[in-house]
């Protein structure tokens, strides 16, 4: 074992752990409820130390230098119910329990941007100020944009870095829109997926399965194994074909619009939207492969050549690259399960930026 150690809670497929591993940290334990996501994590980092199940049952907590994690965010999400009574909102308390047992030098908590405006956030800040977490008295809190750290995606997240070994700042951006302030320009979709084949040969994953945690799951897949599409209807294809880069549902002729859009003249501007090559992607969510859910149409489209129009959404492989996962990252689960893992993940490049800042301050 080398490097400072980490425990990853609500670990998903391992975006945070991938980033911390890239900064030289050693993963020793993780917990994830979802079997497919836990299997993806185990495929990439090994099954040893990985606990699959409810975090309330994660009781044999080892000592670690850093605890990281992103409690479920559906109650806080901009597109969720924003229900203050959503039971998932209080899962940060289980996160806190593990922090107290592991007694790390630092803990890192990640959540959606709106988390910092929630009642749960205020409670957490109270625990840091005068409650059970007060020995982690140095806390840096802010909303960061993944695009500012080399991720080809505008994804705003609340990040809390709390330390008992001295102040640790949030990472300093390395990129900026248009290369402002002498920084590198944002990484674009062309940079990220420009070399990926426009043609998608299949809509199904290879037939294979693997055993993790005593259960069989589909996988293990990597790279172009997950470069898979859907089977849109003829009407959907006609709709995709008329939407230019940066366009959306308002570019559709009236007779191509479903009644719900004909009667809704404003809002939902990203629905049926097409991405742009020279910009980062919008936030990758769990249904990125469905254009009716957001701005997820492939950016390739030429006005004068219908043969040079790619009328499909991003594939799983492309979405994983936009999330900054390496090409050879391993995946387990069905198409829907893998899409959920990708959309819920912390981009590894953002995670590594946080990790390098933390590592520089560890004793």
């Amino acid at each position: 074992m080398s490097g400072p150690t980490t425990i990853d809670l609500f670990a998903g497929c391992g975006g945070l752990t991938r980033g911390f591993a890239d900064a030289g940290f050693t993963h020793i334990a993780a917990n994830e409820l979802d079997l497919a996501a836990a299997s993806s994590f185990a495929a990439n980092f090994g099954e040893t130390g990985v606990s699959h199940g409810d975090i309330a049952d994660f009781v044999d907590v080892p000592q670690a230098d850093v605890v990281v994690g992103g409690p479920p965010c559906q109650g806080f999400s901009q597109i969720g119910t924003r229900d203050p009574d959503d039971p998932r909102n209080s899962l940060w308390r289980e996160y806190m329990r593990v922090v107290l047992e592991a007694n790390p030098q630092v803990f890192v908590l990640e959540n959606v941007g709106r988390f910092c405006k929630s009642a749960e956030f205020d409670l957490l800040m109270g625990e840091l100020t005068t409650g059970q977490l007060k020995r982690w008295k140095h806390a840096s809190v802010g909303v960061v944009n993944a695009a500012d750290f080399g991720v080809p995606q505008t994804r705003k997240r609340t990040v809390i870095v709390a330390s008992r070994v001295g102040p640790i700042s949030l990472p300093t951006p390395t990129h900026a829109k248009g290369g402002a302030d002498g920084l590198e320009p944002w990484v674009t979709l062309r940079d990220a997926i420009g070399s990926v084949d426009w043609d998608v040969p299949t809509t199904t994953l290879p037939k294979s399965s693997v055993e993790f945690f005593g259960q069989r799951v589909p996988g293990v897949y990597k790279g172009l194994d997950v470069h898979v599409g859907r089977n849109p209807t003829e009407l959907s294809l006609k709709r995709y074909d008329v939407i230019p880069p940066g366009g959306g549902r308002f570019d559709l002729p009236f007779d191509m619009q479903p009644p719900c859009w004909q009667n809704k003249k404003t809002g939902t501007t990203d629905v049926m939207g097409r991405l742009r090559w020279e910009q980062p992607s919008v936030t990758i969510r769990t249904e990125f492969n469905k254009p009716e859910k957001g701005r997820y149409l492939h950016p390739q489209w030429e006005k004068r050549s219908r043969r040079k129009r790619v009328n499909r959404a991003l594939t799983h492989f492309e979405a994983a690259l936009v999330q900054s996962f390496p090409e050879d990252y391993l995946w387990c689960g069905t198409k829907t399960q893998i899409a959920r893992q990708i959309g819920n993940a912390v981009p590894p490049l953002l995670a590594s930026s946080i990790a390098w800042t933390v590592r520089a301050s560890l004793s």
Side-chain angles (χ1 to χ4, degrees):
M1 184 181 298
S2 62
T5 55
T6 62
I7 297 173
D8 193 342
L9 305 177
F10 310 98
C13 62
L16 269 170
T17 289
R18 176 71 271 161
F20 273 74
D22 289 343
F25 286 77
T26 299
H27 142 75
I28 59 169
N31 177 260
E32 171 55 41
L33 177 63
D34 181 78
L35 174 62
S39 298
S40 291
F41 189 105
N44 286 281
F45 304 104
E47 195 170 346
T48 301
V50 182
S51 167
H52 160 239
D54 193 321
I55 191 173
D57 298 325
F58 181 44
V59 292
D60 295 323
V61 178
Q63 299 288 289
D65 295 305
V66 180
V67 172
V68 302
C73 60
Q74 283 82 351
F76 310 122
S77 175
Q78 183 73 25
I79 62 170
T81 61
R82 302 189 218 172
D83 180 3
D85 299 320
D86 189 319
R88 293 169 293 192
N89 293 354
S90 63
L91 286 173
W92 67 268
R93 294 181 183 276
E94 287 293 339
Y95 177 99
M96 181 175 71
R97 172 185 65 81
V98 176
V99 166
L100 292 169
E101 294 181 27
N103 194 33
Q105 296 181 63
V106 177
F107 70 82
V108 177
L109 190 148
E110 178 272 352
N111 213 300
V112 295
R114 289 184 59 85
F115 177 63
C116 64
K117 299 179 180 179
S118 70
E120 296 292 332
F121 174 82
D122 292 338
L123 292 172
L124 176 59
M125 290 297 100
E127 294 290 353
L128 280 166
T129 304
T130 58
Q132 296 180 73
L133 298 174
K134 64 182 179 180
R135 65 178 178 268
W136 288 273
K137 60 183 179 180
H138 305 284
S140 295
V141 183
V143 176
V144 302
N145 186 345
D148 291 340
F149 300 92
V151 180
Q153 174 190 175
T154 55
R155 186 185 189 94
K156 293 184 177 181
R157 309 295 284 186
T158 296
V159 175
I160 301 170
V161 178
S163 164
R164 58 179 177 83
V165 294
I168 301 177
S169 300
L170 297 181
T172 302
T174 55
H175 296 67
K177 184 177 182 179
D181 301 321
L183 300 177
E184 292 292 320
W186 279 349
V187 177
T188 68
L189 276 174
R190 191 179 301 280
D191 298 325
I193 65 170
S195 62
V196 178
D197 195 338
W198 299 347
D199 292 327
V200 178
T202 182
T203 60
T204 59
L205 295 168
K207 293 186 180 299
S208 63
S209 65
V210 64
E211 184 173 307
F212 284 113
F213 312 105
Q215 302 180 63
R216 297 204 72 81
V217 294
V220 174
Y221 310 119
K222 71 175 180 179
L224 294 177
D225 288 342
V226 295
H227 190 42
V228 293
R230 301 174 73 205
N231 285 311
T233 65
E234 191 64 31
L235 176 58
S236 291
L237 289 172
K238 290 179 179 178
R239 288 170 172 164
Y240 302 165
D241 193 60
V242 301
I243 297 173
R249 71 178 182 93
F250 295 108
D251 292 281
L252 294 175
F254 188 80
D255 61 356
M256 280 192 183
Q257 300 176 29
C260 59
W261 292 355
Q262 292 174 344
N263 298 324
K264 184 175 176 60
K265 304 301 183 183
T266 61
T268 58
T269 56
D270 274 352
V271 168
M272 202 65 75
R274 189 177 293 276
L275 296 158
R276 294 180 184 268
W277 273 127
E278 307 309 328
Q279 294 181 4
S281 168
V282 298
T283 299
I284 294 296
R285 300 191 177 99
T286 59
E287 293 185 294
F288 59 80
N289 59 335
K290 299 177 182 179
E292 64 272 19
K293 296 293 186 177
R295 188 172 299 281
Y296 298 127
L297 284 174
H298 192 280
Q300 177 57 36
W301 190 93
E302 291 191 14
K303 184 175 182 178
R304 294 179 177 84
S305 177
R306 299 188 68 175
R307 292 181 300 173
K308 294 185 179 180
R309 299 179 188 176
V310 178
N311 291 324
R312 61 168 176 81
L314 295 176
T315 67
H316 294 56
F317 180 57
E318 291 165 334
L321 295 178
V322 170
Q323 278 279 59
S324 75
F325 281 98
E327 290 186 11
D328 60 354
Y329 205 76
L330 305 177
W331 304 97
C332 296
T334 64
K335 286 172 60 177
T336 299
Q337 290 168 338
I338 294 172
R340 188 181 305 124
Q341 293 169 43
I342 294 170
N344 284 334
V346 178
L349 272 181
L350 173 59
S352 67
S353 296
I354 298 168
W356 281 113
T357 303
V358 170
R359 183 164 186 178
S361 301
L362 290 182
S363 61

